[in-house]
Amino acid sequence: LGAASRHRAAEEVRADFQRRVPYSYLQRAYIQLNKLEEAANAAHTFFMANPEHMEIQQDIENYKTTAGKVSLTDHEAKQHMEDYSAGVRHYDKEEYELAIEFLERALKGYYSEDEDCQIMCEGPQRFEEYEYLDYKAGLYEAVADHYMQVLACKHDCVRELATRSGRISPIENFLPLHYDYLQFAYYRVGDYVKALECAKSYLLFHPNDEDVLENAGYYEGLLEDTMDSDTIKPRKEAKMLLQRHKLESHLLQVAAAGLGYAYTEPNYWNRYGARQDEHSVPSSISSEPEDGPRLSLTKKPMPKPDRELKEGGPLLYSDVKFVYNSQQLNGSQRVLLDNVISEEQCRELHRVASGIMLAGDGYRGKTSPHTPNERFEGATVLKALKYGYEGRVPLKSARLFYDISEKARRIVESYFMLNSTLYFSYTHLVCRTALSGQQERRNDLSHPIHADNCLLDPEANECWKEPPAYTFRDYSALLYMNADFEGGEFIFTEMDAKTVTASIKPKCGRMISFSSGGENPHGVKAVTKGQRCAVALWFTLDPLYRELERIQADEVIAMLDQEHLGPSEMNINPKDEL
């Protein structure tokens, strides 16, 4: 009722604060004041919500170099998230008492934040389908509609509290996971009552979880001589939250039917979010006799991919040499091949590259997009053909770039035994050149650790498949052209972006290919001398995301093959900007 408040922030301002944009400005301001530690903390705070922002990532590395050892602080950290992450880290190290301390603190913080979230939903609401003041319903409908908007906001607090700053997707199964970790941690420290209590709390959310049902039965067996296990109940706060959540869902569905709008209940407790501890926790307790109760604590199954993952298909070309498969490269969906192209083809490609590459190509003209210590240059297939057509480079050499990228595509499609066509998503001839006078005491990377179709979040041990990541990419490949440089090794890591699982030294004709998801974080070590060149290839199984320039290049090649005509006879304009 009454005039709209003058003190409500505009949508653009609210979005900027959610993305922590003010901290980007703060960082620059602190630099001008020569306050490097404050600048580093501001940069880190911004980066935690924008992990794809490579310039900020490089700034942080520079602060570490210039300011010495800095303790980075996230000024906007959600304390219950920080405590949860700390608890999981201690759990992974089998420091169970510390894990319990942090996870219990995280639960207390979670329920406190949930209360705050509920309160913050009380107030004016923004309607998605119409402006509130223009809404022409009667008074009772307007009141009911407003109340349901408030209720929907409260119902979504579960998602809000499970979502890290700057992310869209929540940590799956976030609240139940606290109890899952705790039930086993309490078992390890010998507190079977608390272990059973937490197991029963987890089962409120997933009553048919076979692993935890088996664990609960085991804990009951340990307690049967000392107390009645039926007196041990699930935690009251978990039970109350779940009851409230179910009632909210019921009210929303009834209201949707009565008021005539669509409502679909999200899956807030996705069971595929699970403890990632298959390496540190045995599937049974070795101290128990063979015929005694067993704990089934292996990692819960992840969602089945939309296609069956295979590898080991034919390489199609007799000269291509197999080097390593996924197992030998300590990962999944990885392959290393040699002799994909010959020494002569490498030299010819290098000559083409020197004639067509542009500094900062693909990065809006930024000549050093990943590190200030190297110059980045690149070119696309269509640009190569255009230059060949204009006579600025030999047309045969430009055609080679097109042909070898197609050869690489066919090999990847065949080796990974894909049942549908693999399309080009992006093709880029790239070179990284070490800048003289800037190579001493380098501790940065030529290309920071990342994944190709999701936003890598090392702190959360997650990879968020959401924009601005290229979520449609399915496979990647890098075909190397030379070895006469220092550094520049390609590396795979764990999702922590620190633990290296495989390192590959580039050389002419060598190709590394892998699936593009969070299972394959990768990067490039610093190029400290010389120039490192490669053909970078990204592929998709979705024809909607085919590379436009590739389609146009296909048309040019088809005309050349069909007509064998010179530039003046072909019905295309080489100066067209695409």
Side-chain angles (χ1 to χ4, degrees), residues 51 192 241 292 306-307 332-333 345 357 374 377 415 417 432 438 451 457 474 547:
Y192 307 137
L241 183 142
D306 53 7
R307 63 183 185 279
S332 64
Q333 293 283 279
Q345 288 173 321
M357 286 195 306
E374 298 174 20
E377 299 166 288
Y415 178 80
M417 305 170 71
R432 305 165 187 271
Q438 295 182 213
D457 187 349
D474 294 298
E547 181 182 13

Side-chain angles (χ1 to χ4, degrees), residues 59 161 166 169 386 405 482 494 548:
D59 287 340
L161 295 181
S169 307
K386 177 184 174 183
S405 56
N482 66 319
E494 299 283 5
L548 176 60

Side-chain angles (χ1 to χ4, degrees), residues 198-217:
C198 290
K200 287 186 175 182
S201 299
Y202 179 87
L203 289 169
L204 290 173
F205 300 91
H206 303 301
N208 299 317
D209 188 305
E210 294 180 2
D211 291 340
V212 181
L213 281 169
E214 189 175 343
N215 294 349

Side-chain angles (χ1 to χ4, degrees), residues 483-504:
D484 54 340
F485 56 88
E486 293 180 9
E489 293 90 349
F490 176 93
I491 54 174
F492 285 114
T493 73
E494 299 283 5
M495 287 186 72
D496 62 5
K498 296 176 182 177
T499 307
V500 176
T501 57
S503 179
I504 294 145

Side-chain angles (χ1 to χ4, degrees), residues 318-338:
S318 59
D319 50 344
V320 175
K321 178 184 176 184
F322 170 82
V323 182
Y324 293 135
N325 60 18
S326 295
Q327 184 177 4
Q328 293 163 312
L329 290 168
N330 302 313
S332 64
Q333 293 283 279
R334 302 175 180 177
V335 65
L336 183 65
L337 307 171
D338 278 343

Side-chain angles (χ1 to χ4, degrees), residues 4 9 25 65 68 106 118 154 166 217 279 337 413 415 425 452 484 510:
Y25 288 100
T65 303
Q118 297 279 314
K154 290 182 175 183
H279 301 300
L337 307 171
E413 182 181 83
Y415 178 80
S425 167
D452 285 342
D484 54 340
R510 172 163 285 180

Side-chain angles (χ1 to χ4, degrees), residues 213-320:
L213 281 169
E214 189 175 343
N215 294 349
Y218 180 67
Y219 302 146
E220 289 173 350
L222 293 173
L223 293 168
E224 63 183 356
D225 294 332
T226 58
M227 64 184 303
D228 181 2
S229 60
D230 290 338
T231 63
I232 302 171
K233 304 294 183 183
R235 293 197 178 177
K236 185 185 296 185
E237 61 272 20
K239 189 174 182 179
M240 289 177 62
L241 183 142
L242 195 56
Q243 286 176 341
R244 186 197 78 206
H245 197 71
K246 288 179 178 178
L247 181 57
E248 289 169 350
S249 176
H250 174 69
L251 287 171
L252 286 167
Q253 291 174 26
V254 170
L259 293 171
Y261 66 85
Y263 175 76
T264 303
E265 175 75 1
N267 186 356
Y268 288 101
W269 319 114
N270 192 331
R271 282 186 57 200
Y272 291 126
R275 284 180 291 109
Q276 307 292 308
D277 57 352
E278 71 274 25
H279 301 300
S280 60
V281 181
S283 60
S284 63
I285 305 302
S286 58
S287 59
E288 298 298 323
E290 286 294 321
D291 56 351
R294 298 171 68 86
L295 285 177
S296 179
L297 290 164
T298 52
K299 180 180 175 182
K300 296 179 178 65
M302 296 300 286
K304 290 184 179 180
D306 53 7
R307 63 183 185 279
E308 186 179 358
L309 300 182
K310 300 178 182 178
E311 62 178 284
L315 299 177
L316 303 180
Y317 301 89
S318 59
D319 50 344
V320 175

